Amino acid sequence: AQSVTQLDSQVPVFEEAPVELRCNYSSSVSVYLFWYVQYPNQGLQLLLKYLSGSTLVESINGFEAEFNKSQTSFHLRKPSVHISDTAEYFCAVRFRKETSGSRLTFGEGTQLTVNP
Amino acid sequence: SAVISQKPSRDICQRGTSLTIQCQVDSQVTMMFWYRQQPGQSLTLIATANQGSEATYESGFVIDKFPISRPNLTFSTLTVSNMSPEDSSIYLCSVGLLLYNEQFFGPGTRLTVL
């Protein structure tokens, strides 16, 4: 079965601390991987994506994620968080098989709360 | 990228009524999707609405409950029919752009059913 799991539903951290949000997937086919962020009362915004090539991808606001095929993971990291990073983060996977079309499968989400 | 707007942004409805949500995109797109996000939960795909074909519904969702229209390449509607409190959710429209191999999401419609 194809699935996406975010291992932590809530991650509280202090400002300027490092953070890692974990995402694992289960698939028998190749995948495209995405991280989306949802700020309070807003829609989803794409944070970063892995399609091919370098397994380390970065966003413009300091987040990075690394695709690990052997561990089927795509963990999101930031070395120093800001209070403004407080949001819900969703890992999403597009399974690359014809019958999947372009649909995304989302993980359960991780609420990141950055405290002063 | 694509800019997506949804109407209404939020609504409070009575049990048994229906609500139609509109999704407008600023460019022509083939693939459009409708998702539901129940309170405190992740996103669940309701259906895929490609222009020129009937909408394809995911398991657990049926056309009688969630009829979808896709009259052209920039617009779609989702109707939530015969609503009950369990339909209280955020409904999100998204579009798939092959050029970017990603989906862009609208701001969502927050629905509360009393």
Side-chain angles (χ1 to χ4, degrees):
Chain A
Q2 297 166 331
S3 63
V4 182
T5 302
Q6 291 182 242
L7 298 169
D8 306 297
S9 60
Q10 298 193 37
V11 174
V13 296
F14 287 108
E15 193 173 19
E16 299 183 3
V19 71
E20 179 180 77
L21 307 183
R22 296 179 291 171
C23 173
N24 287 86
Y25 66 92
S26 173
S27 177
S28 58
V29 300
S30 298
V31 296
Y32 297 127
L33 298 158
F34 306 85
W35 275 99
Y36 284 86
V37 58
Q38 186 176 36
Y39 296 104
N41 298 314
Q42 295 188 27
L44 271 72
Q45 301 173 30
L46 181 68
L47 192 58
L48 45 76
K49 62 183 178 182
Y50 169 78
L51 304 180
S52 64
S54 172
T55 57
L56 183 65
V57 291
E58 299 176 350
S59 72
I60 59 174
N61 57 354
F63 283 93
E64 65 178 29
E66 186 162 19
F67 169 51
N68 188 318
K69 187 175 181 179
S70 63
Q71 298 186 6
T72 60
S73 67
F74 192 55
H75 301 331
L76 181 69
R77 296 187 292 264
K78 188 170 185 179
S80 177
V81 294
H82 303 288
I83 289 179
S84 60
D85 292 323
T86 295
E88 186 89 17
Y89 291 79
F90 292 97
C91 178
V93 178
R94 178 182 161 193
F95 300 101
R96 295 171 61 183
K97 69 176 186 179
E98 187 175 332
T99 54
S100 294
S102 297
R103 69 168 65 94
L104 292 175
T105 300
F106 283 85
E108 302 88 344
T110 298
Q111 174 64 45
L112 173 64
T113 302
V114 182
N115 299 301
Chain B
S1 64
V3 178
I4 305 167
S5 60
Q6 286 185 234
K7 290 182 181 179
S9 59
R10 59 179 63 226
D11 206 342
I12 300 173
C13 300
Q14 295 297 319
R15 180 195 301 261
T17 63
S18 298
L19 176 72
T20 295
I21 302 168
Q22 299 179 5
C23 177
Q24 181 76 51
V25 189
D26 69 341
S27 57
Q28 295 184 336
V29 295
T30 302
M31 296 180 290
M32 294 184 77
F33 307 88
W34 286 97
Y35 289 85
R36 181 175 73 181
Q37 185 179 20
Q38 294 180 300
Q41 297 189 28
S42 186
L43 282 77
T44 302
L45 182 64
I46 297 172
T48 301
N50 293 338
Q51 200 274 338
S53 62
E54 297 293 320
T56 303
Y57 289 83
E58 297 297 306
S59 176
F61 298 95
V62 295
I63 188 171
D64 290 346
K65 175 67 176 177
F66 298 100
I68 289 171
S69 77
R70 184 76 203 275
N72 56 52
L73 290 172
T74 64
F75 187 78
S76 177
T77 67
L78 170 75
T79 299
V80 186
S81 303
N82 188 25
M83 288 183 286
S84 67
E86 291 71 34
D87 294 320
S88 297
S89 295
I90 300 173
Y91 292 86
L92 296 112
C93 166
S94 79
V95 302
L97 295 184
L98 289 176
L99 179 64
Y100 301 101
N101 210 343
E102 65 186 71
Q103 288 187 23
F104 296 90
F105 284 81
T109 296
R110 186 178 296 270
L111 171 63
T112 302
V113 184
L114 302 178

